[in-house]
Amino acid sequence: MAVDYAVIVVYLAGMLAMGWWGMRRAKSKSEFLVAGRRLGPWMYSGTMAAIVLGGASTIGGVGLGYKYGLSGAWMVLTIGLGLLALSVFFSARIARLKVYTVSEMLDLRYGGRAGMISGLVMWAYTLMLAVTSTIAYATIFDVLFDIDRTVSIVLGGAIVVAYSTLGGMWSITLTDMVQFVVKTVGVLLLLLPIAVVKAGGFAEMKAQLPTEYFAPLGIGGETIFTYVLIYTFGMLIGQDIWQRVFTARSDRTARWGGTAAGTYCLVYAIAGAMIGTAAKVLYPKLDNPDDAFAMIVKDELPMGVRGLVLAAALAAVMSTSSGALIACATVANNDIWSRLRGLTSRAAPEDGHDEVKGNRVFILAMGVAVIAIAIVLNDVIEALTVAYNLLVGGLLVPILGGLLWKRGTVQGALAAVGVGGVAVIGLMAAYGILAEEPVYYGLLASLAVYVTVSLLTRPTDAAVLAHWRERLAGRGSDEDAPATATAATAATAPGQDAQAR
């Protein structure tokens, strides 16, 4: 194992070095939070694929393949489909807004007042996403070094917090590119073919396993539908995903780079399910399907290759964890703390370095909180389900409604967030956290309230909509000030209103 340990140690040291290098580039708020909005297609697609394909997609995807066969790919497939939909239909408009958070987009669209409550929901989602990713370090470091769960979480979490705090999005982008390459080599080019060969080839796998293991819908239609609601729609509205869209240097980069990343996710999904199916042949009686990844890596891979594949698993967890962490800190600082302090869109700090320092403090604080919660929390699936149910049930309708329906109003948006969020929480208490009903009925309640309240209230001010159209067209942004628009602010630019019409 000495060679495997060396591979892992070199990888972790490289992550910290990337963080230090990224610190030299992050000199402004834009550089720190969205990499200066300068990423080209190659870096954009690599980092986007890295953040959406985390530990759940890698270790969990193999586990689903072990349990259900090739149809176990559906969870990751729906993630890829969501990323494709975001890239093709929405990414160009999102990138042109030149904002930092989803809540800022809602304030622009509805004329203010929607940001605080949506920010709280988004913060809860990103916090739990970061926590669940951090818990996954315990599994990986246990396989690597057989060390205590708490020590594993602190070690993995501390490395992510360190490089994220140092260089912000630049550090995370650089590390994600390395992680993307490591995952591609480790999972797609090494683990997949080795696992299939060890299992005797595809023909032998079909002979050894029941036919339902090779049925496209073997996992069940209702499960696939739930995956679409939670993961496909979750990809459309998550702060962690949008913050990557904000890094694109052009509409074309956001659209085509994201499309490439989504396509990569589809390939990764099938690979994970195939590895899990091979593991079922090799280890037919595992108690926990999620152990399939670790077992096949420990027992079937040669020395050195084993270290690289474990580094790939670590890369998957770290990419999601760092992306969720910076998203959580960005929302906490820009959407919650700044508003609580009574900051307005004109009250930007005079020194850009102060803004960078403030965001560093929030990443460090959120990182410490994430590690502490991860230590005391045990059920990863329940935590992740709560996060996605709140995100989809509370925010999907007002966000997509704002992008697609001009009659939507701030009152409708606030009602949708409140009713959808409360409905999801109440239904989880009634049916159970892992039940499918909470997200179904919560989403329907949010949609009904949004449409009804919007139609019963006055339309959004024409000046606000005019300013919104200007921003969608890529005009009128100010990188030095938060992008919150109010009716009064927009009304000061009557020329924009006339031009938009």
Side-chain angles (χ1 to χ4, degrees):
M1 287 287 288
V3 175
D4 298 324
Y5 292 157
V7 171
I8 298 296
V9 170
V10 168
Y11 168 75
L12 294 176
M15 295 300 98
L16 291 173
M18 291 289 185
W20 184 262
W21 191 84
M23 182 177 66
R24 301 171 60 187
R25 302 196 64 168
K27 302 298 184 184
S28 67
K29 179 180 179 180
S30 176
E31 295 281 353
F32 191 82
L33 294 181
V34 290
R37 308 188 196 273
R38 290 190 292 163
L39 297 192
W42 165 241
M43 291 192 75
Y44 178 85
S45 59
T47 59
M48 184 63 88
I51 189 176
V52 301
L53 296 173
S57 300
T58 304
I59 299 172
V62 171
L64 287 171
Y66 182 91
K67 187 174 182 179
Y68 297 106
L70 296 187
S71 68
W74 272 107
M75 184 187 78
V76 185
L77 284 173
T78 56
I79 291 174
L81 292 173
L83 188 50
L84 286 170
L86 174 71
S87 302
V88 173
F89 298 113
F90 301 109
S91 63
R93 283 185 284 176
I94 292 170
R96 286 196 295 265
L97 290 173
K98 296 291 190 292
V99 295
Y100 293 102
T101 68
V102 174
S103 295
E104 288 180 1
M105 167 264 166
L106 291 173
D107 274 352
L108 271 173
R109 167 59 182 83
Y110 294 111
R113 304 196 306 277
M116 175 63 84
I117 186 171
S118 62
L120 288 170
V121 174
M122 189 64 75
W123 176 77
Y125 157 72
T126 53
L127 179 71
M128 295 313 298
L129 184 61
V131 166
T132 54
S133 301
T134 303
I135 291 173
Y137 296 129
T139 301
I140 298 171
F141 281 106
D142 179 58
V143 173
L144 286 172
F145 307 117
D146 192 24
I147 57 179
D148 179 73
R149 175 182 184 275
T150 298
V151 176
S152 299
I153 290 172
V154 171
L155 177 60
I159 292 171
V160 170
V161 171
Y163 72 69
S164 301
T165 303
L166 284 172
M169 187 59 82
W170 267 122
S171 293
I172 292 171
T173 296
L174 294 171
T175 54
D176 277 358
M177 280 306 300
V178 175
Q179 290 158 357
F180 171 72
V181 172
V182 169
K183 280 193 287 191
T184 301
V185 174
V187 175
L188 297 185
L189 302 184
L190 293 175
L191 184 58
L192 173 61
I194 290 173
V196 172
V197 168
K198 292 283 186 179
F202 192 72
E204 182 64 21
M205 289 162 59
K206 289 192 75 170
Q208 294 266 358
L209 296 173
T211 12
E212 55 263 28
Y213 263 69
F214 303 91
L217 304 180
I219 198 171
E222 189 173 359
T223 299
I224 295 170
F225 182 67
T226 303
Y227 285 159
V228 170
L229 277 185
I230 293 177
Y231 297 114
T232 301
F233 287 123
M235 288 297 106
L236 298 180
I237 58 175
Q239 169 68 25
D240 51 326
I241 309 302
W242 278 40
Q243 200 154 344
R244 295 311 173 100
V245 176
F246 300 152
T247 65
R249 72 183 179 199
S250 67
D251 295 358
R252 184 178 178 85
T253 296
R255 184 179 294 111
W256 293 110
T259 300
T263 304
Y264 178 89
C265 290
L266 302 183
V267 175
Y268 200 87
I270 296 169
M274 185 75 76
I275 293 167
T277 305
K280 183 67 176 177
V281 174
L282 296 168
Y283 312 99
K285 299 193 182 297
L286 289 179
D287 292 331
N288 183 359
D290 285 343
D291 291 339
F293 181 91
M295 289 297 297
I296 202 166
V297 169
K298 283 198 300 185
D299 295 348
E300 307 299 337
L301 300 185
M303 185 171 55
V305 173
R306 181 170 50 220
L308 184 58
V309 173
L310 287 173
L314 197 56
V317 175
M318 283 187 161
S319 56
T320 300
S321 181
S322 59
L325 177 59
I326 193 172
C328 179
T330 302
V331 171
N333 189 12
N334 288 265
D335 295 334
I336 300 174
W337 178 244
S338 292
R339 294 169 193 270
L340 289 176
R341 293 179 59 197
L343 295 180
T344 68
S345 61
R346 301 291 184 184
E350 294 179 2
D351 186 351
H353 294 282
D354 289 342
E355 286 198 294
V356 172
K357 180 179 178 181
N359 281 291
R360 279 201 177 104
V361 169
F362 267 87
I363 290 179
L364 181 60
M366 292 298 105
V368 171
V370 163
I371 292 172
I373 296 170
I375 290 172
V376 301
L377 192 67
N378 289 318
D379 200 320
V380 180
I381 299 300
E382 287 196 356
L384 194 61
T385 301
V386 170
Y388 270 100
N389 281 353
L390 279 173
L391 177 71
V392 174
L395 291 181
L396 178 67
V397 170
I399 291 172
L400 293 189
L403 289 169
L404 300 173
W405 190 41
K406 68 178 182 180
R407 186 60 181 83
T409 66
V410 66
Q411 293 88 352
L414 289 171
V417 174
V419 171
V422 170
V424 164
I425 293 171
L427 290 165
M428 284 191 293
Y431 288 96
I433 290 177
L434 298 180
E436 295 167 340
E437 288 86 354
V439 71
Y440 293 170
Y441 300 139
L443 192 56
L444 287 174
S446 180
L447 177 61
V449 168
Y450 178 72
V451 173
T452 302
V453 175
S454 292
L455 292 175
L456 291 176
T457 52
R458 293 180 58 186
T460 304
D461 189 277
V464 171
L465 289 177
H467 184 65
W468 166 252
R469 288 191 290 269
E470 285 289 292
R471 293 294 289 269
L472 280 178
R475 299 185 292 268
S477 65
D478 181 0
E479 285 286 7
D480 297 325
T484 302
T486 64
T489 301
T492 60
Q496 289 182 347
D497 191 7
Q499 184 179 359
R501 291 196 178 110

